Amino acid sequence: MQTITTVAELRRALADAHRADKRVGLVPTMGYLHDGHLALIEASRAQCDVTVVSIFVNPTQFGPREDLSTYPRDFQRDEKLCRDAGVTIVFAPVSQEIYPAQFETFVEPGELAKPLCGAFRPGHFRGVATVVCKLFNMVQPDVAFFGQKDFQQCAVVRRMAIDLNLPIEIVTVQTVREADRLAMSSRNRYLSEEDRGQALAISRGLFAAAEAFGLGERNVDKLVAIAKRHLETIDQLQYLELVDGDTLKPASSPLHRPAALCVAAYVGSTRLIDNVILQPTP
């Protein structure tokens, strides 16, 4: 495995693979890797000849009062996990490599970036789309792998790839969960034992609604209400919305198209997101 910190070195390292028409996979991360990231790496290794993992805490997707300075970092641990997982290249640039002096060009996503997290984190998806587009241009992958937990991010990135004619397949990998069903997240390390117990209400609510859906419930308001009952113990529920799986607009009753029940909530000072996909049978 190679660990690379500059774009020039990255392009040199990938030149032979591109010339040989090898299939290159990219797993973009902000580091502090967990089993969810390792599932993305596993998916890339299964589908690609070369797997590149980027580790970069992207400052442009954090708001002024968010946790950029305290976001968990442990590069040596991440590097070992990547090596053990069979990663080909770890790309770990410093901020100046991605955003050099006088940088001023950003990717501005459209309607998909406005609801859900976009309504509460202005500029977040602008930062996400910009850094992902830059990583796509640097690595030139055939496939890029993202986790379903970041459902809206996946939708924004997929739309960007289509709209900007980027020849990259976007693969979404199912959310990986702890044994107690808490969605894996680098931010879980912020949770105290008491916080973690409270956080389990998120997945309980989502899975209760998914169970009702599986038993035939198709009324949007009722499905949301089922989930919300479990979330009453959460410190702060930021949003709980059932949205169309393609447009992210509010889903309508009776539910007959793929939809996502999405939640963002604060447990203590930690913001957590999660979702379940509701897929009506034909």
Side-chain angles (χ1 to χ4, degrees):
M1 188 184 80
Q2 293 178 268
T3 297
I4 291 172
T5 59
T6 70
V7 177
E9 187 183 0
L10 177 69
R11 286 177 171 158
R12 284 194 297 270
L14 288 169
D16 288 343
H18 289 308
R19 274 195 296 269
D21 203 26
K22 289 186 176 180
R23 191 167 170 83
V24 176
L26 171 64
V27 179
T29 84
M30 293 206 301
Y32 210 77
L33 304 184
H34 50 67
D35 284 351
H37 297 110
L38 296 181
L40 304 181
I41 292 169
E42 182 181 355
S44 177
R45 292 195 67 227
Q47 298 182 38
C48 302
D49 305 300
V50 173
T51 293
V52 179
V53 173
S54 63
I55 296 177
F56 178 64
V57 181
N58 177 38
T60 64
Q61 69 189 68
F62 287 80
R65 292 178 298 279
E66 294 183 345
D67 58 342
L68 173 60
S69 62
T70 59
Y71 192 85
R73 296 164 170 87
D74 190 340
F75 182 71
Q76 288 186 332
R77 173 181 168 276
D78 291 344
E79 197 175 30
K80 183 180 186 305
L81 286 171
C82 286
R83 183 177 293 109
D84 292 346
V87 169
T88 315
I89 294 172
V90 168
F91 178 48
V94 297
S95 186
Q96 291 81 1
E97 186 73 12
I98 304 296
Y99 301 111
Q102 299 180 335
F103 180 88
E104 62 177 28
T105 303
F106 289 84
V107 177
E108 193 70 57
E111 293 300 311
L112 291 174
K114 292 180 180 178
L116 305 174
C117 288
F120 294 92
R121 303 184 69 188
H124 170 69
F125 287 113
R126 179 181 188 249
V128 169
T130 300
V131 78
V132 171
C133 187
K134 285 175 71 69
L135 288 168
F136 284 176
N137 286 327
M138 293 167 183
V139 177
Q140 297 184 356
D142 299 283
V143 196
F145 298 84
F146 296 85
Q148 179 196 305
K149 182 178 74 71
D150 298 298
F151 180 79
Q152 187 175 14
Q153 174 178 277
C154 294
V156 168
V157 169
R158 184 174 288 108
R159 186 75 254 165
M160 177 187 72
I162 292 169
D163 289 350
L164 300 185
N165 302 105
L166 303 177
I168 300 167
E169 179 186 357
I170 308 300
V171 172
T172 301
V173 176
Q174 188 173 2
T175 301
V176 176
R177 299 182 178 275
E178 307 278 4
D180 56 13
R181 282 184 157 182
L182 180 67
M184 287 194 173
S185 168
S186 299
R187 289 187 170 95
N188 288 352
R189 75 179 296 270
Y190 297 153
L191 299 172
S192 67
E193 187 174 344
E194 182 181 349
D195 288 342
R196 188 183 175 86
Q198 187 184 146
L200 296 180
I202 296 172
S203 56
R204 279 200 300 269
L206 293 177
F207 281 102
E211 182 179 0
F213 176 81
L215 293 173
E217 182 60 71
R218 294 295 183 270
N219 182 279
V220 169
D221 291 338
K222 289 181 180 179
L223 289 167
V224 171
I226 289 167
K228 195 168 187 177
R229 282 200 294 272
H230 290 268
L231 291 163
E232 290 175 354
T233 59
I234 289 292
D235 287 330
Q236 180 188 344
L237 178 61
Q238 195 171 69
Y239 66 74
L240 173 66
E241 296 185 37
L242 186 53
V243 298
D244 182 273
D246 293 326
T247 67
L248 306 192
K249 295 183 183 299
S252 57
S253 300
L255 204 61
H256 64 280
R257 286 176 42 79
L261 182 58
C262 301
V263 60
Y266 280 92
V267 178
S269 61
T270 304
R271 184 179 186 272
L272 301 173
I273 62 171
D274 200 355
N275 64 78
V276 290
I277 308 300
L278 304 181
Q279 182 83 44
T281 53

